[in-house]
Structures are given as structure tokens and as C-alpha cells.
Amino acid sequence: MTSKDVKIHIIGAGVSGLAAAITLKKAGYNAHILEQSTTVGGRVKTTMNGSMKLDHGFQVLLDEYPAAKEFLNLDSLNLVKFSPASIVFIDGKKHLIGDAQRDMSFAWSTLIAGVGSVSDKWKVFKLSRKLKQKNLIDIFNSPEKTTLDYLLDYGFSKKMIDCFFKPFYTGIFLETELQTSSRMFEFVFKMFSEGNATIPAAGIKAIPEQMAGQLDGQIKLNTTVKEVIADKIYLENGEILHSDYTVIATPADVLVPNLPESGKEWHSVQTLYYDTDEHGFDQPIIGLIAGEDCLSNNFHFLNDVFENHPKVISVSVVAKHNLTKDQLEERVRKELIEQANIKAGDLIKMMEIKKALPTFDSIQYAMNPTETQLTQNIFLAGDQLSNGSLNAAMLNGKAAAQAVISNIENGIFV
Ligand SMILES: Cc1cc2nc3c(=O)[nH]c(=O)nc-3n(C[C@H](O)[C@H](O)[C@H](O)COP(=O)(O)OP(=O)(O)OC[C@H]3O[C@@H](n4cnc5c(N)ncnc54)[C@H](O)[C@@H]3O)c2cc1C
């Protein structure tokens, strides 16, 4: 058997598993991906509803992610850029706050926006300059505290935190108390300052689809793995596959016997799509609802993002509540009108993503290849190993693949 004959399987065709397969393919190894669902992409999904592009949860690609530049052809994704600004609604009043370093036209509205003091806005400018100079290694080696403590220690006022940072980062971290690590805050803030939040013109699913297009026929959909023991993969349909190396690109504790349960908790989100007669904002921009006790956190118009798209509003609800679906639909509709003077029509779809983002005690940038090896035959990937982002998912897939390649090329045949 030559090193090229080794049997390599990857479990999961999310962006992490796809990045692992691409890395292996570039090195000349043909891995087979086993995916339980009917499509590639895992959490990165878009459902078409007629001509409507309904992403599974509001999700953006930050085009400065190092992994995005490595694994994606950004030009052919036809990325639609969100404006580097937000429209904040506080008690029915509208405030435009934007990054004047990127677009001077935001300077005046940002300065006068009732979203914090002039000193707060100066601090945002200073922080952005500081984080542009701080490299990723330093960010992920910095001592961790909660994002809330970080912002308070930086001197931001309660108003600035409540009216801007809370709704903006709740939409990203999918938790309402800014308890996520300051490392993640610095990383995301840096990515936003240096690049753009984008969505492919075809919807977020274009990302995994483009990655899958770099592989040739190596993905088996509708194939659920039940268990992985040493060099055997047990499928739910009773088949047993021999696998010299297996990359598990999804939480492994349910697949590998005797692994301690990770006990990992996940942040969830509900996304509500309404049709509307409203025109939109004439540009892709995120609306934030900073009203006290509002469940609606952030929203945008799909017709601002996608060309020739029907008029649709997407609203994210992150806060915990006990409302039924009907009650939530009504509550969000009411909040949109009261807080933002936006009239939502019929509900098109409500999506609940229970396991949207993994939680962490400590955030890392990405795994080193050697850290991904669980046993002689089994390697781990997925965002849940280091931080909940497309960047980490792809880099962890790459790290696991590099570890497999290094095992093979160092003659560690199993
Ligand atoms: C609502 C939402 C918003 C987000 N927003 C952003 C954002 O704005 N920016 C950002 O960078 N990231 C965001 N993320 C995070 C990003 O989507 C994830 O980090 C990334 O998709 C994780 O990829 P993954 O491959 O590690 O995992 P997954 O996408 O979960 O892939 C795992 C795959 O394994 C498959 N699988 C599981 N078990 C089995 C089995 N037994 N047999 C076969 N197959 C199996 C699953 O079906 C799935 O396809 C968001 C996520 C969500 C849900």
C-alpha cells in the first residue's frame, strides 16, 4: 500500500469538513466525506422559498477572515457588502452610527447620534486603531474577560454599551449579556474594522457549495455515522467502513464510545421572516433595536441585500422567552412598529436554530495540527474546538487534515 492508497474519511460536510477535504486533496489525498443530511454546509444553509433566499439564521462572512481568503474564491461569490454602519432604534427614534474612517458621510450622524457620548465615539475610533495594529496571535494570547467587562474597563458608558454594543454583539455572539470572551470581541471588532460583513449574492449557502465544488464526487450525502471505533466507521444503515484515518468534523462525543460527554452548551437564535410593503433602507444595513425588554434584536431587509428580491424583513431574536410561536410572531411585529415604525406583513417563516454557536470557557484562534489527534486513527475538527466562526471551522478542518497528512508522510501507517 502506498501512502496515496490510505483510506481517509471525514464525518460532516460543514465548512470544517469541507476545508479538511480540500486540504487533503491539495496534498494529493482523496478523502470521502460522509454527511447525514441532504445538502452540504451544516449550519450554513439557505432555503429557497419561491424566489426568496432565506438563510438559516442571519449569518455573515467577514471577508477579512484569513480562512475565507484561503478556502474561498471571494470574487466568484459575488459578495454583497453590508454598510459599515447600523441604524439604531431607541424608543421609536432612529440613529445612524457608522465607521467614519471608512466612509466620511457617517461622521456627522455618528457624532450626533443619541447612542452614547462624544467621548464614547472617540473611544470606538481609538479601539479600532488599536485593534488594527494588534495581530491575531496577540489577540488570542491576551488575558480573557467577558466582553462586558472589557467594554466597561475601556471606559465606555452604560448608554453606549446598552444602545450599541449590546444589540450589535448580541446579534453576533447570540447571547444577550456580553459574556463571550474579550478575545472573540477583539477578533470580531478587528475583522469588522479591516473588512466587510458580506453575504454571497446567492445566499449564505453559496459558501459551502463553492467549497464542495472544489472536490470531485467525494461527498456521500444522506449517510449517517453511528459510531467510530479505531479504524472502523459504523453507519446507521448497518454498513461498516474501513478507515485508516477519520476526521470527525462535528462534536465527537456522540460518535466515539467512552469519550467523556463534552457537556457543551450552545447559543440559539430564532429568525423570523415577514413580508412587508416597506421599501427598506436603500442599502444593505443592519437595524438594531435597543428598546428595553424588546425581544427583537437586529433586522435587515432582504430586498436591500439581494437584487430583485421580494420585500422581506429578517428579524433575529436571541433573548430567552416563553412565548409560543404565534405569540412571538405578534410580539416581534408589534416591536417593529413601535420601535422602528416598520410594518411587518405576514410571517413567511420562523426558524429556530437551537445549536447555533458553541459556548466556551476559553476561546482559542484555531487548533494546531497535533492537537487535533484524538487516537491513532481519529482526528477532530469543527468550530466547537476553538471558537464559533466560519474562520475557526475552516482552520480546524485544515489543521486536522494537516495532522493526517503528517501521520501518513512520516510513515505512521495504521
Ligand atoms: C444562526 C447562525 C449565525 C452564525 N453567524 C455567523 C457569522 O455571522 N459569522 C461566522 O463566522 N460564523 C457564524 N456562525 C457560525 C458558523 O456557521 C459555524 O462556525 C460553522 O458553520 C461551523 O461549521 P462546522 O463544519 O464546524 O460545523 P457544522 O456546520 O455543524 O457541520 C457539521 C456537519 O456534520 C454533519 N454531521 C453531524 N453528525 C453527523 C453524523 N453522525 N453522520 C454524518 N454527518 C454528521 C452535520 O449534518 C453537519 O453538516 C453562525 C452560525 C449560526 C447557526
Side-chain angles (χ1 to χ4, degrees):
M1 179 165 87
T2 73
S3 63
K4 302 286 170 189
D5 295 327
V6 286
K7 286 242 170 308
I8 309 171
H9 290 87
I10 295 166
I11 302 172
V15 294
S16 196
L18 292 167
I22 292 169
T23 306
L24 284 157
K25 188 179 170 212
K26 281 185 187 155
Y29 298 99
N30 193 23
H32 298 276
I33 305 188
L34 309 170
E35 167 56 51
Q36 68 185 1
S37 77
T38 53
T39 54
V40 298
R43 273 170 273 160
V44 186
K45 256 190 215 155
T46 307
T47 296
M48 293 304 294
N49 187 337
S51 57
M52 297 175 199
K53 296 167 195 165
L54 309 184
D55 288 346
H56 287 225
F58 177 44
Q59 176 156 193
V60 291
L61 174 72
L62 299 176
D63 60 4
E64 268 305 302
Y65 279 159
K69 295 180 190 170
E70 186 175 342
F71 285 99
L72 301 171
N73 180 337
L74 296 177
D75 285 341
S76 41
L77 281 175
N78 297 321
L79 297 174
V80 182
K81 294 177 183 165
F82 274 84
S83 170
S86 298
I87 300 179
V88 186
F89 293 89
I90 310 167
D91 301 329
K93 279 212 181 119
K94 191 172 168 179
H95 307 264
L96 176 65
I97 174 163
D99 183 351
Q101 294 175 84
R102 310 267 298 273
D103 183 341
M104 266 314 282
S105 70
F106 295 128
W108 181 245
S109 65
T110 302
L111 202 66
I112 60 165
V115 175
S117 62
V118 172
S119 150
D120 281 318
K121 288 153 198 170
W122 173 245
K123 285 187 186 112
V124 171
F125 174 74
K126 256 185 28 195
L127 184 58
S128 148
R129 286 228 319 226
K130 174 183 142 181
L131 293 177
K132 277 183 189 161
Q133 278 153 20
K134 190 166 177 181
N135 67 39
L136 294 177
I137 297 171
D138 288 343
I139 287 179
F140 284 91
N141 280 331
S142 294
E144 287 179 278
K145 48 175 109 168
T146 68
T147 293
L148 182 61
D149 285 344
Y150 179 94
L151 294 170
L152 289 169
D153 292 349
Y154 203 79
F156 286 109
S157 70
K158 184 168 175 337
K159 183 154 193 197
M160 183 69 181
I161 293 174
D162 287 348
C163 295
F164 174 68
F165 285 112
K166 264 206 180 151
F168 191 78
Y169 281 90
T170 289
I172 294 169
F173 297 155
L174 304 183
E175 53 95 3
T176 55
E177 302 306 315
L178 300 185
Q179 292 302 296
T180 301
S181 164
S182 50
R183 289 182 185 166
M184 199 62 189
F185 172 79
E186 286 198 330
F187 173 56
V188 173
F189 194 105
K190 179 179 172 70
M191 294 293 106
F192 269 105
S193 304
E194 293 177 351
N196 303 286
T198 70
I199 299 187
I204 202 77
K205 74 170 169 51
I207 292 170
E209 284 180 357
Q210 189 191 74
M211 294 176 83
Q214 297 172 49
L215 304 165
D216 17 51
Q218 298 161 234
I219 307 172
K220 253 180 124 180
L221 299 172
N222 301 308
T223 306
T224 301
V225 173
K226 208 171 82 185
E227 216 168 33
V228 184
I229 302 177
D231 61 356
K232 300 264 180 307
I233 297 178
Y234 297 82
L235 302 185
E236 212 170 62
N237 65 11
E239 233 182 289
I240 303 171
L241 306 176
H242 171 80
S243 184
D244 296 309
Y245 296 100
T246 302
V247 173
I248 304 182
T250 185
D253 52 339
V254 285
L255 294 178
V256 180
N258 304 325
L259 259 195
E261 259 185 60
S262 75
K264 196 168 256 318
E265 293 191 1
W266 292 73
H267 294 312
S268 60
V269 63
Q270 286 171 295
T271 303
L272 292 85
Y273 289 101
Y274 294 91
D275 84 26
T276 180
D277 290 332
E278 302 278 350
H279 179 71
F281 295 129
D282 284 329
Q283 57 174 324
I285 191 163
I286 296 171
L288 300 174
I289 296 190
E292 233 177 287
D293 300 327
C294 283
L295 288 180
S296 315
N297 184 74
N298 56 284
F299 68 93
H300 65 283
F301 290 93
L302 300 196
N303 38 306
D304 283 340
V305 176
F306 303 120
E307 242 175 76
N308 302 321
H309 195 282
K311 290 176 180 170
V312 176
I313 314 177
S314 158
V315 185
S316 300
V317 171
V318 179
K320 302 270 173 280
H321 61 82
N322 294 319
L323 302 184
T324 63
K325 286 194 168 176
D326 288 349
Q327 288 168 333
L328 182 64
E329 173 191 342
E330 263 322 298
R331 168 82 174 258
V332 169
R333 193 180 276 117
K334 187 163 172 273
E335 288 175 354
L336 282 175
I337 197 80
E338 285 178 2
Q339 300 289 328
N341 198 24
I342 287 172
K343 195 162 181 295
D346 290 338
L347 183 76
I348 299 163
K349 193 149 193 98
M350 187 183 299
M351 297 180 182
E352 179 163 21
I353 297 115
K354 288 213 167 104
K355 288 190 167 185
L357 288 181
T359 63
F360 296 89
D361 292 334
S362 173
I363 294 268
Q364 308 302 326
Y365 180 59
M367 303 292 276
N368 290 318
T370 49
E371 293 171 326
T372 66
Q373 183 155 12
L374 180 70
T375 67
Q376 210 179 359
N377 315 85
I378 302 175
F379 297 76
L380 304 178
D383 68 339
Q384 78 289 345
L385 300 175
S386 41
N387 74 70
S389 68
L390 295 165
N391 189 62
M394 290 180 196
L395 292 181
N396 289 341
K398 174 183 168 185
Q402 285 174 326
V404 169
I405 294 165
S406 144
N407 268 253
I408 298 169
E409 297 187 351
N410 290 323
I412 312 169
F413 281 94
V414 283

